[in-house]
Amino acid sequence: MTSVRPKGAPSSTGRRPGTLGGRLQAIPFLLPAVALVGVMLLVPFAATVYQSFTNDDGFTADFIGVDNFFRLASDPLFGQSLLNTVMWTVGTLVLPVGIGLLVAVFTSQMKGGKWLRLAFVLPYALSGAATAVIWGFILRSDGALNQAIAFFGGSPAASGWLLEWPTNTIVMILANTWQATGVAVILFLVGLQAIPSETVEAGALDGATGYRLFWHIIVPQLRPVTVVVIGMSIANSLRVFDMIWLLTKGGPGGSSETLAVTMYRQTFIISDYGYGAAVAVVLAIIVVGASWAYLRQQLKES
């Protein structure tokens, strides 16, 4: 016969799992993961923070304190980059998340809905570079969009759609929405399938139909999935780079840059490594701060 150890009884090593001794026993198993995180993330971040306090140009690196951060505060291009980053964050929260939720809900019970969902999911399989190439063909001055507008008797934008702010930022957010909605549809569909049918039926019997059923029954049940989707959207919007760089390179005149693009240009194009590191530190603080505030709020509400 096999014996069953009572709950809370000491393990075969003589130490309970929740005691200090049990926790100390777990340290050797955690060390490889902690070491990997330290080498791959913490050490480079510490080096970047130190570099942000220097005037490193690739040849010399003198310590100058917080001068790079004062330059950021007085740089109009940095202010424009910060504004564009906010626009990207708002756009990628409202559009891909909202459209993904609506598509998942309205096609989950629709006959042939899987084919309609496919139109939203397929672009997600494309890389950011491939998406930028497609939309570059559409948005340039002699591109498909202007040709379609002229065909239907409209007045196409003479300078195209990527040469003036805020139009260039808005159309790139729409292009990103075309590609990013697919993952939201997939995740929300998984969440819908996990909702017990009895919950929806009970709500319908209580008179909740249409909008009321959606808002008061379905949306609260999708909260765990929504937390994940919104968290992913915030992180991705704050570090968006490839689409902007391939479509406009942050131009014209830096008008469409986000913080990630500014960091890349200052570091690898201008070779002002200290200033680029300062932008990277600010971006890291914003990403970590926004993610922490959002997750903390969600934990308080749960």
Side-chain angles (χ1 to χ4, degrees):
M1 294 181 61
T2 58
S3 60
V4 178
R5 188 170 69 247
K7 183 178 179 181
S11 63
S12 59
T13 59
R15 295 177 178 176
R16 295 182 179 180
T19 62
L20 178 60
R23 293 171 183 171
L24 292 175
Q25 284 182 332
I27 291 178
F29 299 97
L30 295 175
L31 283 177
V34 173
L36 182 63
V37 171
V39 171
M40 301 299 295
L41 294 178
L42 300 181
V43 172
F45 180 72
T48 301
V49 171
Y50 172 77
Q51 193 175 41
S52 68
F53 295 110
T54 67
N55 62 349
D56 189 354
D57 59 1
F59 298 98
T60 60
D62 298 323
F63 188 83
I64 58 173
V66 295
D67 286 1
N68 285 325
F69 294 95
F70 283 125
R71 282 179 58 192
L72 286 179
S74 60
D75 187 351
L77 287 181
F78 177 76
Q80 179 68 33
S81 176
L82 190 60
L83 175 60
N84 288 333
T85 302
V86 172
M87 291 177 63
W88 272 91
T89 303
V90 174
T92 53
L93 281 178
V94 174
L95 295 176
V97 176
I99 295 173
L101 175 60
L102 294 177
V103 170
V105 170
F106 288 112
T107 62
S108 60
Q109 303 296 329
M110 181 186 298
K111 185 178 180 180
K114 62 181 180 180
W115 300 109
L116 180 58
R117 288 196 299 271
L118 189 63
F120 291 89
V121 173
L122 271 181
Y124 180 64
L126 300 175
S127 65
T131 303
V133 170
I134 294 171
W135 281 88
F137 170 76
I138 295 172
L139 297 172
R140 64 191 185 192
S141 57
D142 59 343
L145 180 57
N146 274 352
Q147 292 182 22
I149 293 173
F151 178 81
F152 288 105
S155 300
S159 59
W161 299 89
L162 298 171
L163 298 180
E164 293 182 359
W165 187 88
T167 304
N168 48 17
T169 297
I170 292 172
V171 295
M172 285 190 291
I173 291 173
L174 293 176
N176 178 76
T177 298
W178 177 76
Q179 192 231 3
T181 300
V183 66
V185 172
I186 294 171
L187 292 175
F188 280 126
L189 190 63
V190 172
L192 286 171
Q193 293 174 348
I195 297 177
S197 58
E198 295 82 2
T199 302
V200 179
E201 292 171 359
L205 289 174
D206 288 339
T209 58
Y211 170 79
R212 293 178 62 190
L213 181 66
F214 169 75
W215 188 252
H216 295 288
I217 303 297
I218 295 178
V219 170
Q221 295 290 321
L222 289 175
R223 187 175 179 275
V225 175
T226 305
V227 171
V228 174
V229 175
I230 292 178
M232 291 173 55
S233 298
I234 292 174
N236 290 335
S237 63
L238 290 173
R239 58 183 179 83
V240 63
F241 170 79
D242 49 0
M243 184 172 294
I244 298 173
W245 187 255
L246 290 171
L247 284 176
T248 66
K249 286 186 168 54
S255 63
S256 62
E257 285 188 1
T258 59
L259 290 177
V261 177
T262 300
M263 175 186 66
Y264 178 85
R265 179 175 59 83
Q266 291 289 341
T267 304
F268 299 107
I269 304 300
I270 302 178
S271 296
D272 192 348
Y273 297 102
Y275 192 69
V279 178
V281 170
V282 172
L283 178 58
I285 292 173
I286 293 174
V287 171
V288 173
S291 301
W292 176 81
Y294 173 70
L295 292 176
R296 184 171 181 268
Q297 181 64 31
Q298 296 304 316
L299 291 174
K300 286 174 62 178
E301 294 178 359
S302 61

